[in-house]
Each structure stands twice: as C-alpha cells, then as structure tokens.
Amino acid sequence: MNMNATISTPVAAPSSNISFLRDVIIGLRADFKSLPSKYFYDDEGDLLFQQIMACRDYYLFDCELEIFENSSGGIADLFEKWDGAFDLIELGAGDATKTIYLLKELLKRRLDFTYLPIDISGHIIQGLEQSLPDQLTGLKLNAVHGEYFESLEKVCRTSSRPRAILFLGANIGNMPPSETVDFCHRLRNCLTAGDMVIVVFDLKKNPEQIRKAYDDDDGWTKKFNLNLLKRINKELGADFEVESFGHYCNYSPENGSCSSYLVALKDMKVSIAGQSFVFKRDECIWTETSHKYTLEEINRLADTTGFSPRRQFEDSRKWFVDVAWITV
Ligand SMILES: C[S@@+](CC[C@H](N)C(=O)[O-])C[C@H]1O[C@@H](n2cnc3c(N)ncnc32)[C@H](O)[C@@H]1O
C-alpha cells in the first residue's frame, strides 16, 4: 500500500437482508412483477458487470472511457475556480476505472481535494480502498459504503467545503424521467450555490445499437440479470430454478427507454422466506430500465431542477455526453 495516501474509516452500511427481503416481496407481489436493479451488485454481480464493460456490444463503457481519456484536462479546468480544498464525491463509483483519469489530472495540478466514492456494494468499496492508494500517490480517500442519498446527506453534514458530485456510467438513465427530476431536485437540496455536478448521459441513437448493449451476443447481460435470482436464493434462502428463467430486453425509440426482464420459461412456484410466489409460463419480471436522452432534454432537466449547464464533453461518435452543471 502507498503510505502517502490517506484513508479514513469507511462509513458503515446500514443495508441488511431485511430491506432486501422487503423490496423483493413488494416487487414480486405487484400486479406486474419487478425486482430493484440496485440488488444486481453482489460480489458475483460486480464481476459480471466488469465482463459487460469489456464486451464488444456494450458501447457505453468505450464511449465514456474515450471522454475521460481525452477530456480529463478540460474537466479538471472546471475545478480550478476553487482556491481552497474541495470534496469530490462520486455516486455509485464502481471500480472508478474512468474516474482515475480525472483523479490523476487533479493530483497532477496539486489541487487540494478529498475523493469520496459512495457505493452500495461493500465488495466495491473494499476494492477501491485496496487499489486506489497504490495507483494514486497522495490521494486523500474516504470511501463510503451505502445508498446514494443516505451517504451523500451524511457526507454533506460533516463537511462545508465546496463540492463536486460525479454521477458517471449513465447511471442516471436507470431512473424513469419523473424520478430523475426528483433525484436532481434532491441532489440540488444537498448542495450550495456554486457547487458542481458532473453527470454522464447516454444519448439517443440507432435503436438496435442500444438494444444489443443490453442483450449482448456473448450472454454477459443475460448472466448479470439471472444473477439477481441466484443472489435471492443465496441471501434470502429462496428456491428459484434459475435455469428456468430467460432474459428479454426491449428498446422503445418512442420513449427512449431500454428495459430488461426475466422471463419464466414454465409454470413455477417459488418459496422465499416461507412465502410462496406463483410464476406463469412467459410471465416477466421487470428488472431494469436504462433511459436515453437528447441534449435538449438534458439541458431542460438542468434548468428545471436548479442547475445551470456549464460545459459538455462528447465522445467522437457523439453517443455519450458528460455534462458539467453549476448549482444556482
Ligand atoms: C453501472 S455501475 C457504474 C459504476 C461506475 N460509475 C462506472 O461508470 O463504471 C453502478 C454502480 O452503482 C452502484 N449502485 C447502484 N445503485 C446504488 C445505490 N442506490 N446507492 C449506491 N450505489 C449504487 C453499484 O453498486 C455499482 O457499483
């Protein structure tokens, strides 16, 4: 481990199997069954997501990596306005592969900042604590294990320094547009005027290109989706026959949403913590939606939720955009 790096004690995660079980039961008791996508990321899900990022059909990773490889200097310029120390907080940091380019640039400029990656996956947080200090000499790191807002509000209560929030990976697209507006309002309420938000959006493009990213030829997205049932079996003692479920994905160019489902391949009865759930053959469980945007929709979102668009960085195909908003 690099001894020049500073790590403070991670904030403990309040999450438990009780809320996992509650969310699963609520989702599977609904008229149209669903499971929350935030539970994709157990140890196995984290590894499968890394395979997805490396696969040919998943253009999202390549587009965003290109932006960070080529534009980290331009993004870092935005931080020069702060003379003193600031906090760089990342929501759903994952393995920070792309963020590392920006962190290197900020360290090269000797800017005084603490990096606070927030993630719901304990495995991810442990991995960041182990790997980042070795890669980034002098990085001040305070990794936070927990949910986006619970953790962000905790962090904001304990520091009054200027803040920049990173929300990468087009994670914002995992919310339906109405929830996205609420999310941006809530984010705005955690911040003060002059704070910065850097968000990455996946742009509307050829529908087949989009659909294939969520149903890749190598089957990684299918394995990732099915892993949710494996996790429920492992952590909640359920008895899903995982191989009796398929993966289906559909992109609607009309509303810009790409949705993934698990499909029952036969009639089944599944027991979860003593409760019984019936699945009819061909019945679907909605697991995730990824929403795609136009630049006009993105600017409107900023204007209506208390932010002012400052700069944007696109990849060479203009499939992805990294926007910097200032809190007004
Ligand atoms: C799609 S990955 C993206 C990771 C990274 N931002 C990137 O661009 O590669 C989503 C990450 O967000 C985390 N995550 C998902 N829902 C979350 C939530 N509600 N609160 C905190 N972290 C969450 C997951 O554990 C995962 O590491």
Side-chain angles (χ1 to χ4, degrees):
M1 181 186 288
N2 186 325
M3 302 316 285
N4 291 327
T6 321
I7 307 178
S8 35
T9 317
V11 179
S15 70
S16 68
N17 278 0
I18 296 170
S19 44
F20 183 21
L21 177 62
R22 187 203 53 217
D23 291 347
V24 166
I25 288 176
I26 291 172
L28 296 183
R29 287 270 176 250
D31 288 343
F32 194 100
K33 293 184 171 69
S34 69
L35 289 169
S37 59
K38 68 179 175 185
Y39 295 114
F40 278 140
Y41 301 94
D42 63 347
D43 293 3
E44 184 64 24
D46 292 337
L47 293 175
L48 287 168
F49 188 69
Q50 281 172 3
Q51 296 290 349
I52 290 173
M53 289 198 293
C55 91
R56 198 168 17 99
D57 293 325
Y58 195 75
Y59 63 84
L60 291 88
F61 178 75
D62 294 340
C63 291
E64 194 174 10
L65 187 65
E66 186 192 322
I67 295 176
F68 275 81
E69 276 173 347
N70 297 336
S71 303
S72 278
I75 301 171
D77 288 345
L78 298 165
F79 294 81
E80 297 274 6
K81 66 176 188 153
W82 288 316
D83 292 334
F86 63 91
D87 288 331
L88 179 62
I89 304 166
E90 179 161 8
L91 305 178
D95 64 7
T97 309
K98 291 151 283 181
T99 317
I100 285 170
Y101 288 89
L102 177 62
L103 296 174
K104 280 188 178 154
E105 188 63 37
L106 297 175
L107 289 169
K108 197 170 86 188
R109 295 176 186 212
R110 298 184 180 282
L111 295 181
D112 183 5
F113 71 100
T114 299
Y115 175 52
L116 299 106
I118 292 173
D119 207 289
I120 200 170
S121 161
H123 177 242
I124 283 286
I125 290 296
Q126 266 177 11
L128 291 174
E129 287 178 330
Q130 277 159 13
S131 67
L132 287 184
D134 285 336
Q135 295 179 66
L136 300 165
T137 303
L139 180 72
K140 291 182 206 155
L141 175 68
N142 184 3
V144 184
H145 179 196
E147 287 258 4
Y148 297 142
F149 279 110
E150 212 174 276
S151 306
L152 180 61
E153 283 158 7
K154 219 179 279 180
V155 164
C156 291
R157 273 199 302 274
T158 54
S159 162
S160 55
R161 307 200 305 182
R163 295 173 194 110
I165 309 289
L166 294 177
F167 196 34
L168 310 184
N171 284 15
I172 196 158
N174 292 140
M175 295 167 232
S178 60
E179 238 177 72
T180 306
V181 171
D182 293 345
F183 178 91
C184 290
H185 275 303
R186 197 165 170 196
L187 190 55
R188 169 64 190 90
N189 289 339
C190 292
L191 304 176
T192 45
D195 285 346
M196 188 161 53
V197 170
I198 293 176
V199 194
V200 172
F201 289 87
D202 190 11
L203 296 170
K204 285 178 178 163
K205 60 186 72 60
N206 183 292
E208 183 54 11
Q209 197 76 52
I210 293 174
R211 201 196 58 76
K212 281 201 82 162
Y214 298 89
D215 193 6
D216 63 289
D217 286 343
D218 299 328
W220 291 111
T221 39
K222 176 179 177 181
K223 283 197 184 116
F224 182 66
N225 205 8
L226 288 170
N227 183 57
L228 193 46
L229 300 183
K230 283 194 189 168
R231 181 177 183 184
I232 295 171
N233 282 351
K234 221 174 349 182
E235 294 184 26
L236 303 179
D239 59 1
F240 277 106
E241 263 179 51
V242 177
E243 60 289 355
S244 298
F245 283 84
H247 167 75
Y248 174 72
C249 155
N250 148 277
Y251 175 67
S252 159
E254 213 175 333
N255 61 25
S257 66
C258 190
S259 297
S260 299
Y261 304 87
L262 291 160
V263 188
L265 301 178
K266 60 178 191 180
D267 289 349
M268 279 174 275
K269 203 185 243 181
V270 174
S271 154
I272 308 173
Q275 297 202 36
S276 187
F277 298 84
V278 172
F279 293 84
K280 290 262 169 236
R281 187 182 157 179
D282 297 333
E283 186 175 359
C284 295
I285 311 172
W286 170 72
T287 52
E288 186 179 45
T289 291
S290 182
H291 201 84
K292 313 302 170 190
Y293 285 83
T294 62
L295 288 173
E296 293 71 27
E297 287 167 338
I298 295 168
N299 286 334
R300 210 175 311 130
L301 179 64
D303 289 342
T304 54
T305 55
F307 296 101
S308 164
R310 180 59 47 95
R311 278 201 69 181
Q312 65 188 47
F313 304 88
E314 284 171 299
D315 64 303
S316 52
R317 290 180 287 191
K318 301 201 180 304
W319 282 6
F320 233 65
V321 68
D322 178 342
V323 295
W325 296 343
I326 302 298
T327 307
V328 288

